[in-house]
Amino acid sequence: MAISTTETHYFIQGRIWIDSDKGPFLGFGRIQLLKKIREYGSISQAAKSMEMSYRQAWQLIESINLKAPQPLVIKTTGGKGGGGALVTEAGENMIATYEALDQAFLEFLEMKSKELKL
Amino acid sequence: MAISTTETHYFIQGRIWIDSDKGPFLGFGRIQLLKKIREYGSISQAAKSMEMSYRQAWQLIESINLKAPQPLVIKTTGGKGGGGALVTEAGENMIATYEALDQAFLEFLEMKSKELKL
DNA sequence: CATCGCTATGCTTGAAAATGAATAACGAAA
DNA sequence: TTTCGTTATTCATTTTCAAGCATAGCGATG
């Protein structure tokens, strides 16, 4: 049977993040940034690859490190290549934790979207 | 046993909303507005009670009605009291649908917050 | 000790969004 | 036909926020 193309379709969307009592901690964008830093070994390269300003990327990392139990990114200045940034093991664990959470959330959204009857 | 007060605490937060292929449809703020309109019978009164500009409130209702299968709010101009707005039965159903969804989402957040080990 | 690219930071611009003021239109009821 | 408070709409203004520029500091390596 054909489905009418004039009908509006609906779906459920959302965002999820981790807050701390010090303020916003980790969301989708920050995790994406962490992964890019892991990939490139530098904040500036990561920012460029995401079409984000270096300034903003740096601030995000600063904010993350301030709220994390231990630093998630270690930054080095000067030296060979001018320095760089690398994701710590605590950072890796955080990425994994967030991605598991996000996956569960996606499944929740999908389930609720299917249940949705307007 | 005492718990250290210097430790940072974390919790999961999020937002959830209903989108349509015509664009954003219903979120927390719009539902809140619908409920205020139901309470006051007028967009302007509802807006005032939420400290929202009438202009924005009117635009939100316009956007909602355009995307809904049937109008959720009926607006009348002129007449006794100058007119007003009322929430249709379809609107009532939409409020109920969203609130059930939001409740389930809150439970999801709570569950995941408890599971959270950083 | 000169080079290099990155971190670190302040300052200036600019664009986008929300606000508020102002006003027309409306129509039931007195 | 006058009144009233609301809907409906435009416009200039303000506020908010991000982007971009500009530049100093750093230190391993050659």
Side-chain angles (χ1 to χ4, degrees):
Chain A
M1 71 185 184
I3 296 180
S4 165
T5 59
T6 60
E7 188 179 329
T8 308
H9 292 111
Y10 302 92
F11 40 98
I12 300 175
Q13 290 214 293
R15 293 198 174 277
I16 199 169
W17 63 88
I18 304 175
D19 266 9
S20 79
D21 42 24
K22 293 178 183 170
F25 179 43
L26 273 183
F28 185 82
R30 293 175 185 213
I31 289 292
Q32 200 176 1
L33 179 59
L34 282 183
K35 288 164 78 178
K36 288 291 185 183
I37 289 174
R38 174 173 64 183
E39 181 178 354
Y40 292 104
S42 125
I43 295 179
S44 72
Q45 293 296 310
K48 184 174 298 180
S49 79
M50 296 173 65
E51 294 181 4
M52 172 188 288
S53 70
Y54 168 77
R55 180 190 174 72
Q56 182 177 11
W58 181 85
Q59 285 174 335
L60 288 177
I61 296 303
E62 199 67 7
S63 163
I64 290 171
N65 274 346
L66 238 69
K67 289 157 192 160
Q70 316 142 27
L72 305 192
V73 173
I74 290 180
K75 299 167 287 183
T76 64
T77 174
K80 171 191 169 194
L86 63 89
V87 176
T88 65
E89 191 177 340
E92 296 285 355
N93 292 338
M94 208 63 87
I95 292 174
T97 297
Y98 181 86
E99 294 204 321
L101 174 64
D102 197 50
Q103 182 59 35
F105 181 49
L106 284 180
E107 283 163 15
F108 174 86
L109 288 180
E110 200 168 329
M111 178 181 71
K112 291 298 177 184
S113 282
K114 281 179 183 163
E115 288 175 4
L116 190 64
K117 289 282 173 287
L118 300 188
Chain B
M1 72 186 186
I3 296 179
S4 167
T5 60
T6 60
E7 187 179 328
T8 309
H9 293 111
Y10 302 92
F11 38 93
I12 300 175
Q13 291 215 294
R15 292 197 175 276
I16 198 168
W17 62 89
I18 304 175
D19 267 7
S20 80
D21 41 24
K22 294 178 183 169
F25 178 45
L26 273 183
F28 185 81
R30 294 175 184 212
I31 289 292
Q32 200 175 1
L33 179 59
L34 283 183
K35 289 165 78 177
K36 288 291 186 182
I37 289 175
R38 173 174 65 183
E39 182 178 353
Y40 291 104
S42 128
I43 295 179
S44 71
Q45 292 296 311
K48 184 175 300 181
S49 80
M50 296 174 66
E51 294 181 4
M52 172 186 290
S53 70
Y54 168 78
R55 178 194 170 74
Q56 182 176 14
W58 180 86
Q59 285 175 333
L60 288 177
I61 296 302
E62 199 67 9
S63 162
I64 290 171
N65 274 345
L66 238 71
K67 287 157 192 161
Q70 317 142 27
L72 305 192
V73 173
I74 291 182
K75 298 167 287 182
T76 64
T77 173
K80 170 190 167 194
L86 64 89
V87 176
T88 65
E89 191 177 339
E92 296 286 354
N93 293 336
M94 208 62 87
I95 293 174
T97 297
Y98 181 86
E99 295 205 321
L101 174 63
D102 198 49
Q103 182 59 36
F105 181 50
L106 284 179
E107 284 163 15
F108 174 86
L109 288 180
E110 201 167 328
M111 178 182 71
K112 291 300 178 182
S113 283
K114 281 180 184 163
E115 287 176 5
L116 190 64
K117 290 282 174 287
L118 299 189

